[in-house]
């Protein structure tokens, strides 16, 4: 029976398990973001948060305990300095676990364990991208130049994006909103550039293909003796080229339907839905657009 | 089992032992009686080859189940598993971090 026992054994003996977890916590403090299996991540998070609490306390006894636990003494100044400062206002929850599919070798559920507010914070990055996505959707709908998300219009951000935004900005300093809006703006530019890039790639490929056709037909028009058979008998890929379209289930900026609905395509429900304004060549390069 | 069949007669057939053994004859149990001791399902055997259709009917429930926890990534719109990280976003970010690391610490 395992009633009320909150610890995992992780198929190891006590000494092995403890040393492995100490190693994981040490690595987490060193790199601030590690990838491991989900059960190990959950155990490590628990221990790491206790050590960070010791760092926040900062007294002699906590120092001794933390020094006894960690396997690298170089991390003690980091724990009692930057980490204590970073998490001074935060009441617990100093780690975050992102589930990340399965490991290819043994299909183990994988997870990324990171310290909150670290320089490579995943939630921070993805939220900035989500905000950029929402701003772009607003831009496509209303054709207004930079919608200001700081003015907090109700329909601008998706509910979950808004919630994530509040979470990531809560314990950061005053410069954080500006930094995030800069990231969102950069990401918006990146998104706007993508159909342009696709268009250029397609134009170049078509040009290349037509040039190839021209050389082959020119070669075939010559008398048989003068022909270069390697060029003349070459078979280029057939025209017209298939246009670059998004992957199945991929939503373009502006999309309101879900992934399963998109992936099903014409085999799914055929209810007439109001077509949202998507980011594509039409919205960007059509003549009717007034920006 | 063939060896046992041969030993149906008493083991020692000389007259001295026959006199002693006459009071208590000991024979090795027969094949039939041994078979009677075993429960009937041990020797069960299929009567006919299982048809293709019956075999397929049995396999009907063993197919892969569809995943319906697929959502769009809020950042890049790619399909991803619910409550998991988006693969495209994570690979983009990890390449970005490696690039900055290479730039700041040139090997």
């Amino acid at each position: 029976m395992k009633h009320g026992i909150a610890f995992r054994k992780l198929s190891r003996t006590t000494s092995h398990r403890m040393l492995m977890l100490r190693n994981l916590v040490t690595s987490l403090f060193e790199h601030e973001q590690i990838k491991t299996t989900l059960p190990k991540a959950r155990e490590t998070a628990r221990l790491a948060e206790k050590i960070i609490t010791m760092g926040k306390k900062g007294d002699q006894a906590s120092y001794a305990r933390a020094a006894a636990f960690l396997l690298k003494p170089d991390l003690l100044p980091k724990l009692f300095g930057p980490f204590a400062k970073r998490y001074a206002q935060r009441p617990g929850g100093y780690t975050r676990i992102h589930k990340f599919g399965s490991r290819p070798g043994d299909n183990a559920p994988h997870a990324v364990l990171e310290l909150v507010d670290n320089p490579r914070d995943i939630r921070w990055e993805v939220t900035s991208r989500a905000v950029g996505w929402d701003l772009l959707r607003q831009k496509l709908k209303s054709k207004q130049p930079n919608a200001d998300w700081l003015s907090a219009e109700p329909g601008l951000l998706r509910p979950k994006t808004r919630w994530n935004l509040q979470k990531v900005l809560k314990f950061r300093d005053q410069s954080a909103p500006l930094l995030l809006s800069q990231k969102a703006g950069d990401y918006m530019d990146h998104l706007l550039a993508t159909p342009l890039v696709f268009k250029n790639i397609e134009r170049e490929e078509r040009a290349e293909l037509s040039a190839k056709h021209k050389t082959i037909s020119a070669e075939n028009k010559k008398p048989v003796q003068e022909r270069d058979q390697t060029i003349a008998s070459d078979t280029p890929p057939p025209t017209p080229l298939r246009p670059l379209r998004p992957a199945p289930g991929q939503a373009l900026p502006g999309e309101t339907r879900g992934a399963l609905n998109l992936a099903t395509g014409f085999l799914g429900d055929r209810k007439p839905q109001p077509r949202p304004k998507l980011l594509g060549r039409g919205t960007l390069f059509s003549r009717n657009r007034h920006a | 089992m063939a060896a046992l069949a041969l030993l149906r007669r008493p083991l020692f057939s000389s007259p001295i032992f026959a006199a002693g053994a006459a009071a208590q004859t000991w024979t090795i149990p027969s094949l039939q009686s041994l078979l009677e001791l075993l429960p009937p399902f041990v020797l069960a055997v299929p009567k006919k080859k299982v048809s293709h259709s019956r075999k397929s009917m049995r396999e009907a429930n063993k197919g892969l189940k569809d995943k319906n926890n697929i959502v769009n990534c809020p950042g890049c719109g790619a399909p991803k598993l619910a409550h998991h990280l988006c693969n495209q976003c994570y690979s983009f970010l990890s390449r970005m971090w490696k690039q900055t690391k290479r730039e700041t610490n040139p090997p």
Side-chain angles (χ1 to χ4, degrees):
Chain A
M1 290 185 291
K2 200 196 81 49
H3 293 187
I5 296 168
F7 300 94
R8 290 177 180 79
K9 286 188 186 158
L10 301 170
S11 306
R12 288 162 169 86
T13 58
T14 305
S15 54
H16 182 183
R17 177 170 61 246
M18 206 55 212
L19 195 60
M20 183 194 70
L21 290 172
R22 283 170 72 186
N23 260 312
L24 279 167
V25 171
T26 309
S27 301
L28 177 65
F29 287 170
E30 190 183 337
H31 300 104
E32 301 195 38
Q33 190 182 86
I34 57 172
K35 190 152 67 164
T36 177
T37 64
L38 190 58
K40 288 194 192 97
R42 288 187 168 144
E43 282 296 309
T44 312
R46 206 189 149 134
L47 282 170
E49 286 178 5
K50 287 186 186 287
I51 306 298
I52 290 175
T53 314
M54 285 181 206
K56 277 170 78 172
K57 274 200 190 136
D59 55 2
Q60 191 66 19
S62 308
Y63 191 88
R65 271 204 223 102
F69 186 86
L70 292 174
L71 296 169
K72 283 188 182 168
D74 309 335
L75 295 169
L76 284 164
K78 198 176 176 188
L79 174 66
F80 286 88
F83 288 178
K85 189 158 164 274
R86 199 194 280 172
Y87 303 122
Q89 306 305 322
R90 197 181 277 270
Y94 316 119
T95 55
R96 188 182 294 128
I97 294 174
H98 298 276
K99 295 192 240 314
F100 190 43
S102 295
R103 194 158 60 182
D106 55 0
N107 204 32
H110 235 174
V112 173
L113 171 62
E114 61 173 3
L115 292 173
V116 170
D117 293 340
N118 79 83
R120 307 195 302 183
D121 197 326
I122 290 176
R123 196 177 190 179
W124 169 257
E125 303 273 358
V126 176
T127 307
S128 66
R129 285 155 84 90
V131 168
W133 186 272
D134 282 334
L135 293 179
L136 186 58
R137 193 185 65 231
Q138 194 68 16
K139 188 168 177 165
L140 291 170
K141 247 199 298 185
S142 62
K143 293 190 178 99
Q144 280 160 22
N146 302 310
D148 186 19
W149 60 269
L150 286 165
S151 63
E153 290 162 35
L156 184 55
L157 299 177
R158 287 162 288 182
K160 206 69 185 179
T161 309
R162 178 175 289 278
W163 185 72
N164 276 322
L165 189 65
Q166 286 166 2
K167 289 275 188 174
V168 302
L169 290 175
K170 193 170 182 190
F171 292 106
R172 288 190 187 233
D173 56 359
Q174 292 300 313
S175 64
L178 185 66
L179 199 65
L180 194 137
S181 57
Q182 279 171 3
K183 281 181 95 72
D186 290 341
Y187 187 60
M188 263 175 79
D189 294 335
H190 168 83
L191 286 172
L192 283 167
T194 329
L196 187 71
V197 167
F198 281 165
K199 185 176 195 236
N200 283 343
I201 289 171
E202 205 181 339
R203 197 193 295 137
E204 281 168 22
E205 281 185 348
R206 278 184 199 275
E208 206 180 286
L209 204 66
S210 64
K212 201 164 186 183
H213 271 294
K214 282 200 181 95
T215 50
I216 290 168
S217 55
E219 202 65 37
N220 279 318
K221 278 180 188 141
K222 290 182 192 167
V224 190
Q225 296 90 337
E226 286 173 46
R227 274 186 215 169
D228 184 0
Q229 281 302 322
T230 48
I231 299 172
S233 56
D234 195 10
T235 45
T239 47
L241 278 174
R242 204 161 50 94
L244 287 164
R245 68 167 82 99
Q250 168 81 44
L252 296 171
E255 189 66 77
T256 48
R257 296 150 69 199
L260 284 172
N261 193 328
L262 285 169
T264 324
F266 284 110
L267 295 174
D269 61 353
R270 304 288 293 267
K271 289 182 228 148
Q273 297 204 354
R275 296 297 268 160
K277 267 239 174 293
L278 294 179
L279 180 70
R281 283 197 288 279
T283 43
L284 279 184
F285 303 118
S286 74
R287 273 171 222 188
N288 300 330
R289 207 178 86 90
H290 50 89
Chain B
M1 278 304 174
L4 277 176
L6 289 170
L7 291 168
R8 279 172 156 266
R9 55 176 172 72
L11 260 182
F12 301 107
S13 48
S14 68
I16 305 155
F17 287 105
Q24 195 185 15
T25 45
W26 180 74
T27 53
I28 286 166
S30 65
L31 183 60
Q32 281 305 115
S33 51
L34 269 176
L35 287 176
E36 275 160 18
L37 286 170
L38 295 168
F41 55 80
V42 168
L43 300 169
V45 112
K47 196 71 182 173
K48 293 295 287 166
K49 176 178 173 181
V50 172
S51 68
H52 182 82
S53 110
R54 192 179 284 273
K55 181 174 69 172
S56 305
M57 283 183 211
R58 196 172 53 233
E59 303 289 306
N61 303 317
K62 295 188 185 176
L64 291 173
K65 305 285 184 292
D66 284 341
K67 272 200 198 301
N68 56 6
N69 54 342
I70 298 171
V71 296
N72 287 114
C73 170
C76 65
K80 75 169 185 79
L81 221 54
H83 305 103
H84 286 237
L85 276 180
C86 169
N87 291 343
Q88 277 188 23
C89 285
Y90 184 75
S91 67
F92 177 88
L93 292 171
S94 119
R95 284 198 197 115
M96 190 178 75
W97 295 324
K98 283 178 191 168
Q99 180 72 19
T100 27
K101 198 174 177 184
R102 253 182 267 129
E103 279 163 15
T104 50
N105 309 335

